[in-house]
Amino acid sequence: MKKIVKISPNKEFMVIDLVKEYAGATAFVGTEHYAIVTDLSEEDLFAAFSQELEPYRPFVIITNEMYETFMMTEINDEREKWRERKYHTELSPEALFHLINEMTDPISICESILNLEYITARMLELPDHQGSRIYKIYVLGFTKEELANDEGTSIQAINESLRLAKNKLHDVFVECGVVA
């Protein structure tokens, strides 16, 4: 609540203009245009400050605890708006639908698992260590130097083996519909 109109000298009450507070609303509804924030009882408030509060009638009375809750809500709303602007990107409905469908469609998941198993099996069937070398380098993360040292061969032999294997694997990927 940002629209504070008046604060009593000893801070026993505060007056908030509700029309200004809710200016973003299409139209303010209600006869009470002010809120009085106080922890005094209604009788004590009227007894002590009747003259000062007269210009603000009719009004509603809220406690300091209620006011603090309103303030925390407002702060949290602003914080959430900031987070939304900073960290979230808007996706078109089509893209959002496509992403959700792709991630949750059991048929797609099963097909991906089956494709992966098929590609792995075909890769490991390749002759002359081609498949195992592709697997060790591109799946397990070995470097070509490590693989050459491990197998007791040259880096050139590893490179030639990988070149041949990539060409053969491309055909397997085309078969599965993974690439064109």
Side-chain angles (χ1 to χ4, degrees):
M1 295 194 163
K2 302 173 275 247
K3 309 302 178 191
I4 299 171
V5 176
K6 180 177 184 163
I7 299 176
S8 68
N10 11 356
K11 297 185 181 185
E12 292 177 297
F13 72 89
M14 181 174 19
V15 179
I16 297 168
D17 186 336
L18 296 175
V19 176
K20 289 181 183 174
E21 179 64 30
Y22 296 104
T26 55
F28 181 81
V29 178
T31 55
E32 296 85 2
H33 289 212
Y34 297 95
I36 308 298
V37 181
T38 185
D39 283 332
L40 296 173
S41 69
E42 193 172 342
E43 296 80 28
D44 291 342
L45 182 67
F46 288 139
F49 302 104
S50 183
Q51 292 286 357
E52 289 181 63
L53 296 176
E54 192 59 37
Y56 307 108
R57 289 183 186 265
F59 53 79
V60 294
I61 299 174
I62 62 174
T63 64
N64 281 308
E65 184 180 12
M66 291 167 73
Y67 175 73
E68 288 172 17
T69 303
F70 292 145
M71 290 302 297
M72 287 308 298
T73 300
E74 188 173 296
I75 290 167
N76 287 334
D77 288 348
E78 287 303 313
R79 189 178 299 140
E80 186 56 34
K81 287 177 191 171
W82 177 83
R83 273 192 211 105
E84 186 70 29
R85 283 190 307 270
K86 183 170 172 99
Y87 295 113
H88 297 139
T89 57
E90 290 187 30
L91 292 174
S92 68
E94 295 83 16
L96 191 58
F97 178 74
H98 182 61
L99 289 173
I100 290 171
N101 260 354
E102 206 171 279
M103 301 301 273
T104 59
D105 182 20
I107 294 169
S108 294
I109 294 169
C110 288
E111 283 177 358
S112 347
I113 292 170
L114 293 174
N115 280 342
L116 180 62
E117 289 172 352
Y118 179 75
I119 291 167
T120 304
R122 291 288 304 272
M123 178 177 54
L124 295 175
E125 289 172 1
L126 294 175
D128 303 322
H129 305 292
Q130 293 172 6
S132 65
R133 287 175 178 164
I134 286 270
Y135 184 79
K136 287 177 183 175
I137 289 182
Y138 295 105
V139 176
L140 298 179
F142 280 70
T143 64
K144 293 175 185 176
E145 293 80 16
E146 290 172 330
L147 193 54
N149 289 336
D150 189 44
E151 293 182 2
T153 188
S154 70
I155 294 176
Q156 290 80 15
I158 297 290
N159 283 333
E160 181 61 19
S161 178
L162 291 174
R163 186 184 64 74
L164 293 170
K166 285 179 188 178
N167 289 336
K168 292 175 185 171
L169 271 180
H170 181 269
D171 296 337
V172 174
F173 280 104
V174 170
E175 237 177 86
C176 292
V178 177
V179 295

